[in-house]
Amino acid sequence: MLTSLSSPLSTSRVIQQRLIRSVRLLTACALLSLGATSFGAEPSPAPLLWSTVPAVSPSEQPPPPKKPSILRERDIAFDERLVSTLKDAAARPLPPIAVELFDTDRYELDVLSTLARNNDTSFVRGQLKPQDSGEFLIVLNGAAVTGTIHLGRRLFKIEPLGNGRHRLIEIDPEQESKE
């Protein structure tokens, strides 16, 4: 009779110990999934929509005539994964996406609307973060990207060059109006 009483007690004790282990394991997993950001570390920066690439050598491509309104320019290549995410009007919420203009400051894109067409063209409109920094309009058509970014009084344009390459141009708005 003693064995019949100890059996239910030991079974409930084993269940209780397993439950405690499970709770501890779940708590440890939850803390690990929160990552270092909850413990005061800086969050990792948002990935850049484009990166600077070396300009094509002059022997391969003649330089286009530089207009007086162009303040500076550089060749860029887009992150194809982020471009396809931007094209998808149903992909919400979007992951953080940043751009880096000619200064070293990064601006995060706050997409307000995406209009996708059947012909693989998408129109993406939004603002730059931090708030009230500026606004952007990007047109994604296949692998070609064109766009305009207004940052205060500064104006930037994105033009496709072909072969997956693009050019980021800073325009002098006063000179452009004269051309």
Side-chain angles (χ1 to χ4, degrees), residues 65-127:
K66 189 171 179 178
K67 298 177 184 175
S69 61
I70 295 177
L71 296 174
R72 49 190 169 168
E73 58 189 340
R74 71 174 181 197
D75 288 3
I76 58 174
F78 281 87
D79 181 321
E80 292 176 18
R81 182 183 54 85
L82 294 176
V83 168
S84 64
T85 301
L86 278 176
K87 277 185 181 183
D88 186 2
R92 297 292 184 267
L94 287 172
I97 300 173
V99 295
E100 195 172 82
L101 302 171
F102 290 98
D103 49 14
T104 57
D105 294 334
R106 294 174 85 126
Y107 301 93
E108 193 171 319
L109 301 181
D110 182 15
V111 175
L112 300 177
S113 69
T114 301
L115 177 62
R117 300 285 186 193
N118 290 338
N119 63 353
D120 198 26
T121 301
S122 295
F123 301 86
V124 182
R125 184 181 64 83
Q127 298 175 334

Side-chain angles (χ1 to χ4, degrees), residues 10 66 96 166:
S10 64
K66 189 171 179 178
H166 295 77

Side-chain angles (χ1 to χ4, degrees), residues 78 80 83 87 119-123 138-147 158-167:
F78 281 87
E80 292 176 18
V83 168
K87 277 185 181 183
N119 63 353
D120 198 26
T121 301
S122 295
F123 301 86
I138 298 174
V139 180
L140 309 158
N141 185 1
V145 180
T146 57
I158 301 166
E159 297 178 349
L161 298 175
N163 297 327
R165 298 173 70 89
H166 295 77
R167 184 163 287 142

